[in-house]
Amino acid sequence: MRRILITGADGFLGRNLQLHLSERVDLQVLKLTRADDISSLREKVQQSDFVFHLAGVNRPQDPAEFMRGNADLTRQLADELALLAAEGRRVTVLYASSAQAALDNPYGRSKLAAEETLFGLARRSNARVHIYRLPNVFGKWCRPDYNSAVATFCHNVSRDLPIQVNDANAELNLVYVDDVMAEFLSVLDGLRAQPDDGAFAMVEPVYRTAVGALAEQIRGFRNGRESLQIDRVGSGLVRALYATYVSYLPVDAFSYPVPVHADARGVFVEVLKTPDAGQFSFLTAAPGVTRGGHYHHTKSEKFLVIRGKARFKFRHMLTGDTHEIITSGDAPRVVETVPGWTHDITNLGEQEMIVMLWANEIFDRARPDTVHCPV
């Protein structure tokens, strides 16, 4: 069983990595956190086959802490790894550095010193070293009001708290924590060659945006609960931001109401609207009730009976041809309405019928494309 040491195991990256590693049965995870005495580092390194060095100091009250928490700790780790290398054990170390290491500030200088220590370890002991200069990392469990605008915006917006944008045009380079984890695990699995001497490993993709656009996007996630319209959250930066935003929801916001349109026939409930792929709804009908009785010029719909038994009737608006379909929740089958055919649906069962409905466009009251016409 491989033994994996994570320094900074209780930090943002460390907690995400722990969760990923817990899904594997062939690993034993050792942890070094702020609560541990630094004297335990030697024993934990000696037990390890691989080290994720994620520990670091970001915002200390005393700037001297940058060097102690970043450079000095890395130096101690490198010394222990060098001893193992002298015994013939080459333990791979992956270091989460920062893009700030390229800047001349106390934090950047401390990260640069840590990098140089590990590059030196690789040269003198032939240790396997992978150093990632990470830009702004965002995702679940990142600490708001600390080192991530994404975390702060998601936390505050999800709680209806104000956010502050000083420069809407300020550029941000972002990487998503799950992409970071995938890259880190690929190193653990031996799928990444060691970078050349002095070269940095990369996490992709890097998303480039501006602070103002980021704030607007996250506000849009919140507003979508009122409009029922969701953004294109299936890929890219918006997918990652949406997952992050949802992870900051307080438990009393895990659910939200949607409008219910009710009459004697039953209810019609709009659930979700999309920018360019229509909307999702559901309807109910009491026994014997018929709903619909209209046609569309362009709009098409898909009906799925979830509970009950339904009869769909169709009549062609030009030829008068008719068609009938019987379906039920016991044998799920999608029934599609077709432009130019008037149609209705009748509950043939003895209980309330529930029907899921997708329409290829959002209902527009100004242009409903729904013309009343009994079948």
Side-chain angles (χ1 to χ4, degrees), residues 128-132 183 186-187 190-196 200-201:
R128 299 183 181 93
V129 175
H130 298 254
I131 299 178
Y132 287 82
E183 177 65 23
S186 70
V187 176
L191 302 178
R192 294 289 185 268
Q194 181 173 331
D196 294 334
F200 299 101

Side-chain angles (χ1 to χ4, degrees), residues 193-252:
Q194 181 173 331
D196 294 334
D197 184 21
F200 299 101
M202 301 292 294
V203 172
E204 294 181 339
V206 177
Y207 299 110
R208 293 172 175 82
T209 187
V211 174
L214 176 67
E216 182 179 357
Q217 179 69 74
I218 293 172
R219 289 192 187 102
F221 296 148
R222 178 197 61 192
N223 297 338
R225 287 192 165 192
E226 298 174 3
S227 68
L228 300 184
Q229 183 159 329
I230 194 168
D231 288 317
R232 298 174 181 86
V233 297
S235 62
L237 175 60
V238 180
R239 170 183 176 269
L241 286 174
Y242 184 69
T244 303
Y245 172 76
V246 172
S247 76
Y248 283 88
L249 290 173
V251 293
D252 59 1

Side-chain angles (χ1 to χ4, degrees), residues 114-126:
E115 292 174 355
E116 292 174 342
T117 294
L118 291 173
F119 281 134
L121 171 69
R123 294 186 193 108
R124 72 175 185 268
S125 66
N126 202 28

Side-chain angles (χ1 to χ4, degrees), residues 6-15 18 31-35:
I6 306 174
T7 73
D10 57 356
F12 166 42
L13 293 181
R15 286 182 290 170
Q18 282 191 69
K31 296 179 285 187
L32 183 76
T33 71
R34 294 175 188 268

Side-chain angles (χ1 to χ4, degrees), residues 63-343:
E65 281 296 313
F66 282 125
M67 279 297 177
R68 287 194 290 267
N70 294 325
D72 293 349
L73 175 60
T74 303
R75 192 173 298 111
Q76 289 178 268
L77 174 64
D79 289 343
E80 299 301 332
L81 291 171
L83 291 175
L84 291 182
E87 299 171 359
R89 286 186 56 200
R90 295 179 63 197
V91 175
T92 299
V93 58
L94 183 154
Y95 179 46
S97 187
S98 167
Q100 293 278 324
L103 303 180
D104 187 17
N105 58 48
Y107 176 62
R109 288 192 292 271
S110 69
K111 283 293 194 178
L112 178 62
E115 292 174 355
E116 292 174 342
T117 294
L118 291 173
F119 281 134
L121 171 69
R123 294 186 193 108
R124 72 175 185 268
S125 66
N126 202 28
R128 299 183 181 93
V129 175
H130 298 254
I131 299 178
Y132 287 82
R133 273 193 176 179
L134 298 173
N136 295 285
V137 185
F138 70 99
K140 64 183 182 298
W141 306 335
C142 189
R143 180 177 167 186
D145 298 315
Y146 189 60
N147 62 350
S148 170
V150 177
T152 303
F153 289 176
C154 287
H155 176 273
N156 287 17
V157 170
S158 67
R159 290 162 172 76
D160 291 323
L161 299 174
I163 59 175
Q164 182 176 343
V165 177
N166 296 322
D167 181 1
N169 296 319
E171 295 183 354
L172 287 174
N173 291 326
L174 304 172
V175 289
Y176 182 45
V177 70
D178 280 4
D179 295 324
V180 175
M181 293 300 106
E183 177 65 23
F184 284 7
L185 293 175
S186 70
V187 176
L188 177 64
D189 293 335
L191 302 178
R192 294 289 185 268
Q194 181 173 331
D196 294 334
D197 184 21
F200 299 101
M202 301 292 294
V203 172
E204 294 181 339
V206 177
Y207 299 110
R208 293 172 175 82
T209 187
V211 174
L214 176 67
E216 182 179 357
Q217 179 69 74
I218 293 172
R219 289 192 187 102
F221 296 148
R222 178 197 61 192
N223 297 338
R225 287 192 165 192
E226 298 174 3
S227 68
L228 300 184
Q229 183 159 329
I230 194 168
D231 288 317
R232 298 174 181 86
V233 297
S235 62
L237 175 60
V238 180
R239 170 183 176 269
L241 286 174
Y242 184 69
T244 303
Y245 172 76
V246 172
S247 76
Y248 283 88
L249 290 173
V251 293
D252 59 1
F254 279 12
S255 66
Y256 59 97
V258 293
V260 177
H261 309 282
D263 58 29
R265 300 170 300 169
V267 301
F268 178 77
V269 180
E270 296 175 294
V271 177
L272 187 67
K273 302 177 182 180
T274 70
D276 51 16
Q279 72 177 58
F280 297 86
S281 313
F282 77 87
L283 61 85
T284 67
V289 165
T290 297
R291 305 198 62 159
H294 56 241
Y295 66 88
H296 312 295
H297 289 285
T298 302
K299 181 187 300 183
S300 63
E301 302 159 317
K302 296 180 186 290
F303 290 84
L304 178 65
V305 176
I306 303 298
R307 185 180 73 185
K309 184 177 182 181
R311 178 183 64 210
F312 291 85
K313 294 174 65 177
F314 298 84
R315 178 170 57 84
H316 196 283
M317 293 304 297
L318 289 184
T319 67
D321 291 345
T322 61
H323 186 59
E324 187 175 296
I325 300 171
I326 306 293
T327 185
S328 74
D330 295 332
R333 184 179 182 85
V334 170
V335 176
E336 189 148 20
T337 65
V338 179
W341 290 72
T342 189
H343 52 272

